[in-house]
Amino acid sequence: MSQAATSIFLVRHGETAWNLQQRLQGQCQENPPLNATGEQQAQALAERLSSLPVSAIYSSDLQRTMQTARYVAARLEHMQITSEVDLRERHLGVLEGLTRFEAAQQHPADFANLSGSPGAKPQGGESQNEVAQRVVTRIEQIASQHPGKTPHMSCSQTVLLILHGGVLHACYRHATGHMFHGRNVNCAISAVKVEGKKWSLVTWNDADHLHKTGFMASAFGGGGEGG
């Protein structure tokens, strides 16, 4: 990949009470905010990113991601945040707002479709493939607006995206060609390079800043089912 590739940091939002309750968030209208731990995680993230060359911030427009982005933007001399509907979490349809136990009991077939084949989806929701199409298209558009180093530029641009667990899984699968078998930690930092339609993985799930601060709570979410 050439120097013209855009470097992109991908970060999951901070923890919410719904994460702790193992409640499926998706794009739920209740739109849960960060809890106290999530705010501390976001502060630790902001401190870590303050030493990195971030040139633009984009965030899903849901409350938990925008709150996380605001902590970072404030630390980066109040950098502007661009709110993006297309970076929202996977829509979970009839399962949104239910705990995992409730979803499995009330809608067993739909619940099974959360982690089933990439084309499967819960009633009223999105499949993994649909999420990937929506998110990858928008990220490639963002990358084209912030090109890497060119002959007319003194330095390359690095974009920060504040996202969700299900969205991060879609990004990992697109960059590598296979699934990420783990949880995307709240406020961990991942990175890819994007040039046109070519993606390459740089690092994934870096949570050193959370280990050092003690705010590495292992909350629910971060899987392909969305959180």
Side-chain angles (χ1 to χ4, degrees):
M1 191 163 286
S2 74
Q3 287 187 327
T6 304
S7 296
I8 301 180
F9 292 133
L10 310 171
V11 175
R12 186 182 175 211
H13 60 81
E15 181 184 288
T16 70
W18 282 31
N19 289 147
L20 292 178
Q21 297 164 9
Q22 297 196 15
R23 194 171 296 280
L24 298 164
Q25 298 180 115
Q27 301 181 18
C28 194
Q29 290 185 353
E30 280 81 351
N31 204 7
L34 302 182
N35 62 13
T37 297
E39 291 177 348
Q40 292 164 333
Q41 290 168 334
Q43 290 170 357
L45 170 69
E47 184 62 31
R48 173 82 180 276
L49 290 173
S50 68
S51 63
L52 299 176
V54 175
S55 51
I57 302 174
Y58 290 78
S59 172
S60 155
D61 68 337
L62 297 178
Q63 182 172 203
R64 56 194 184 274
T65 41
M66 286 297 293
Q67 281 184 294
T68 304
R70 289 187 190 106
Y71 277 101
V72 177
R75 187 66 178 81
L76 298 180
E77 299 182 353
H78 298 282
M79 183 177 289
Q80 180 179 342
I81 303 167
T82 302
S83 174
E84 292 281 345
V85 173
D86 285 340
L87 297 181
R88 282 185 176 188
E89 180 58 291
R90 178 182 180 183
H91 197 303
L92 304 180
V94 296
L95 304 179
E96 290 187 347
L98 302 178
T99 65
R100 285 179 62 87
F101 178 79
E102 291 168 343
Q105 291 293 312
Q106 297 176 29
H107 303 281
D110 294 299
F111 183 70
N113 283 339
L114 283 186
S115 55
S117 69
K121 57 184 175 182
Q123 181 182 349
E126 291 178 293
S127 69
Q128 295 177 49
N129 285 342
E130 288 171 336
V131 175
Q133 176 65 34
R134 165 169 60 83
V135 169
V136 168
T137 296
R138 186 63 191 122
I139 291 177
E140 290 176 351
Q141 291 170 346
I142 290 171
S144 71
Q145 296 166 17
H146 300 275
K149 191 173 182 180
T150 69
H152 306 291
M153 299 172 62
S154 60
C155 61
S156 60
Q157 297 192 57
T158 299
V159 178
L160 170 65
L161 305 182
I162 307 297
L163 306 170
H164 304 270
V167 171
L168 284 162
H169 271 268
C171 291
Y172 184 92
R173 182 160 66 99
H174 187 77
T176 66
H178 57 84
M179 297 294 292
F180 175 62
H181 297 290
R183 294 286 179 185
N184 291 297
V185 175
N186 292 106
C187 284
I189 300 172
S190 299
V192 296
K193 286 185 177 292
V194 177
E195 184 177 4
K197 294 189 176 299
K198 296 180 181 178
W199 290 47
S200 64
L201 183 68
V202 177
T203 188
W204 204 258
N205 233 10
D206 178 350
D208 283 353
H209 51 294
L210 302 176
H211 287 293
K212 292 175 182 177
T213 59
F215 301 124
M216 180 72 182
S218 180
F220 167 73
E225 73 279 352

